[in-house]
Amino acid sequence: MLDSRTGLAPRGVVRPHLPLGVVVAISCLAQFTVVLDATIVTLALPDMRASLDMSASQQQWVVSGYLIAFGGFLLLAARAGDLFGYRRVFLAGAVIFTLASLAGGLATSPWMLLVARVFQGLGAAALSPTSLNLITASHSDEDRRERAVTLWSLMGALSSVAGLILGGVLTAGLSWHWVMFVNVPPGLILLVAGLLWLLPDRDTGERRRLDLPGALTATLGIGALTYGFSEVATDGWTETNVLVALIAAAVLLIGFVAVEAKSRHPLIPLTIFRLRTVSIGNFLIFCMGVTMTAGMVLLSLYFQEALDYDPFTTGLSLLPMSAIVIAGGLGARQLLPRVGTRPLLLAGGLVTTVGLLWMTRMPAEPAYLTHVLGPTLVTGLGMSLLLPAATVTSTTGVAPGDDGAASGLLNTSRQIGGAVGLAVLVTIATTTTERALPDTTPVEAIVDGFHAAFLVNAAVMLAATLVALALPRSGRQS
């Protein structure tokens, strides 16, 4: 158990007498790195395509390959951590991610880069849930645990914006190769820190079985779902590859539920969904994936198409929003033990909804300080309250042996929310723009499309807020 006077971690997690801050630092660096890698390539894609003579489809797969591998293997990697040890899976993830990042930076052909991106996704799938597991397994004191989980969740928010900024800086100042190389140092740090500070996983002598049918249906189902929605933005909803992928995903995921209901060693124990905190928390995380992932992409497109910003200026323009997310999140960390998760979820949901509705008023020729800064800061403030509270909610009340399953489920919800949200909102924006074009200027039509997407995004957040009302008032009960 945690020594509340010294703040030292339990003997089974890190080396004796190391502070819990070591666990938090390792976990936060891992989360920052894997989320950074999802966005850092965005602004480097044109240079990658020109340098490696890539087709449009190959360029899309630089993003999709990572997301599909990441989202598809999250549940499998998370459950493997429960069964075989968090340290083993964490170190394996660090090795795969670091080597893949190095290989990607050295790529001289499209296939080399695409294979590297897939393996980066596999490494990220191991690192992300186990980094959260390290926190939940080591923090027996609930208040300390909530503060640590808050920091972990804020790293994801910070790195999603940092990826856009770093991607622009590195591509413009050096070359696209450095958006891959930049992941190598943190990967090595994670590997060395894990080897030095994390204790070897204990072997209980019990026979450990991984639910292979569940792992297969879940991995293929989530991978097909992520692929289907990632292709919608470029191919549309009616293309054969999209329809086949989404139908296959539905069949596989229904099969997964059937397998889990009968399995003696399920990948995801279905009883976990009896916890209102887990069910509602994951719905909120899904909605936040829609808002944060798709919303950030829409904002970056708005800056470039309506304000005519270059990629670097676009990244800098998102800094105030990122800063308010971090500052507000640190404040929310102090409030969590005092007021509980439910009030923060309700307040954050309402504030975010207001910010998104305000974005629907941004004009076709905006001034950044007058029309853009205000709504982005309000939205960032709302997200800063939502993010830590939703993360804590989705892992509250989970039995110790199911920590990995809960962490994998949380990350999967966010990944799927981002993929679904991006496909749906981009489609709404594009369709609205096409309908407006005959009667207005191209720029005004584009802005009308953004307004429609922001309005739907606001409706998603309002729905999340209403669902949060079903949580117990303490926010800590099942």
Side-chain angles (χ1 to χ4, degrees):
M1 298 293 289
L2 172 70
D3 186 334
S4 60
R5 294 169 298 175
T6 63
L8 297 179
R11 294 181 59 84
V13 179
V14 297
R15 301 290 178 186
H17 310 303
L18 282 176
L20 278 175
V22 170
V23 181
V24 178
I26 294 173
S27 299
C28 287
L29 177 61
Q31 180 67 356
F32 181 90
T33 303
V34 300
V35 178
L36 178 83
D37 201 48
T39 59
I40 195 171
V41 301
T42 303
L43 300 183
L45 288 175
D47 281 21
M48 288 178 172
R49 182 175 181 178
S51 173
L52 300 179
D53 193 24
M54 303 174 74
S55 66
S57 175
Q58 289 173 328
Q59 179 181 261
Q60 173 66 21
W61 271 95
V62 173
V63 177
S64 298
Y66 180 84
L67 294 178
I68 291 168
F70 189 7
F73 283 88
L74 271 171
L75 290 181
L76 177 60
R79 194 55 172 170
D82 282 338
L83 295 176
F84 306 112
Y86 301 139
R87 183 178 185 267
R88 290 188 182 100
V89 176
F90 184 87
L91 292 177
V95 169
I96 294 171
F97 184 84
T98 304
L99 290 178
S101 298
L102 180 62
L106 296 173
T108 56
S109 66
W111 73 263
M112 289 177 65
L113 179 60
L114 297 180
V115 170
R117 287 291 288 169
V118 169
F119 275 92
Q120 276 189 313
L122 293 176
L127 282 172
S128 187
T130 49
S131 67
L132 181 56
N133 294 151
L134 292 175
I135 291 176
T136 56
S138 61
H139 288 65
S140 56
D141 179 81
E142 188 171 11
D143 288 344
R144 286 180 179 271
R145 173 178 168 273
E146 288 184 352
R147 289 196 293 269
V149 170
T150 297
L151 287 175
W152 180 89
S153 64
L154 290 176
M155 287 301 103
L158 174 62
S159 58
S160 63
V161 178
L164 293 174
I165 298 170
L166 270 178
V169 171
L170 293 174
T171 302
L174 297 170
S175 73
W176 69 262
H177 297 274
W178 286 93
V179 304
M180 303 293 289
F181 286 143
V182 75
N183 295 303
V184 175
L188 291 174
I189 291 172
L190 291 173
L191 181 59
V192 172
L195 288 169
L196 293 178
W197 292 335
L198 300 180
L199 283 176
D201 301 302
R202 294 175 179 176
D203 190 351
T204 63
E206 298 178 1
R207 187 177 181 183
R208 293 165 291 194
R209 295 180 179 177
L210 188 63
D211 174 22
L212 291 180
L216 184 63
T217 52
T219 300
L220 293 177
I222 295 170
L225 186 68
T226 307
Y227 167 75
F229 278 109
S230 68
E231 292 295 292
V232 167
T234 55
D235 293 350
W237 291 94
T238 58
E239 288 297 312
T240 302
N241 62 324
V242 173
L243 293 175
V244 169
L246 295 180
I247 292 171
V251 172
L252 287 164
L253 292 176
I254 291 172
F256 169 70
V257 174
V259 168
E260 297 304 277
K262 297 179 180 179
S263 176
R264 296 179 60 186
H265 307 281
L267 193 68
I268 293 289
L270 297 183
T271 54
I272 199 174
F273 292 104
R274 295 176 184 172
L275 293 168
R276 272 191 287 170
T277 49
V278 172
S279 298
I280 294 176
N282 276 277
F283 177 75
L284 297 175
I285 291 292
F286 173 89
C287 293
M288 291 173 64
V290 174
T291 297
M292 294 192 71
T293 302
M296 199 66 70
V297 171
L298 288 172
L299 274 176
S300 65
L301 291 174
Y302 177 82
F303 289 153
Q304 293 178 73
E305 294 181 14
L307 279 71
D308 199 27
Y309 287 174
D310 59 40
F312 178 62
T313 306
T314 296
L316 290 180
S317 299
L318 293 170
L319 270 179
M321 185 177 179
S322 178
I324 200 69
V325 169
I326 300 303
L330 293 175
R333 185 186 72 169
Q334 303 299 323
L335 289 174
L336 267 173
R338 302 176 186 176
V339 303
T341 54
R342 187 174 183 267
L344 289 181
L345 290 171
L346 297 177
L350 289 174
V351 172
T352 304
T353 301
V354 169
L356 292 169
L357 288 174
W358 192 355
M359 287 184 187
T360 66
R361 308 300 300 170
M362 293 192 296
E365 296 181 0
Y368 178 79
L369 293 177
T370 305
H371 304 110
V372 179
L373 184 60
T376 56
L377 288 181
V378 171
T379 303
L381 176 61
M383 296 304 298
S384 74
L385 300 177
L386 274 173
L387 189 59
T391 304
V392 168
T393 298
S394 60
T395 57
T396 295
V398 177
D402 294 331
D403 283 341
S407 300
L409 190 61
L410 179 157
N411 282 282
T412 301
S413 296
R414 181 173 55 198
Q415 284 293 110
I416 294 175
V420 172
L422 189 57
V424 172
L425 294 183
V426 168
T427 301
I428 289 172
T430 302
T431 302
T432 304
T433 296
E434 291 174 350
R435 290 176 179 173
L437 271 176
D439 303 316
T440 186
T441 66
V443 172
E444 290 175 339
I446 290 171
V447 171
D448 284 346
F450 288 139
H451 287 173
F454 289 137
L455 182 61
V456 173
N457 211 349
V460 169
M461 286 313 306
L462 182 59
T465 306
L466 295 175
V467 170
L469 288 170
L471 283 170
R473 291 191 177 274
S474 68
R476 298 180 180 177
Q477 302 170 25
S478 63

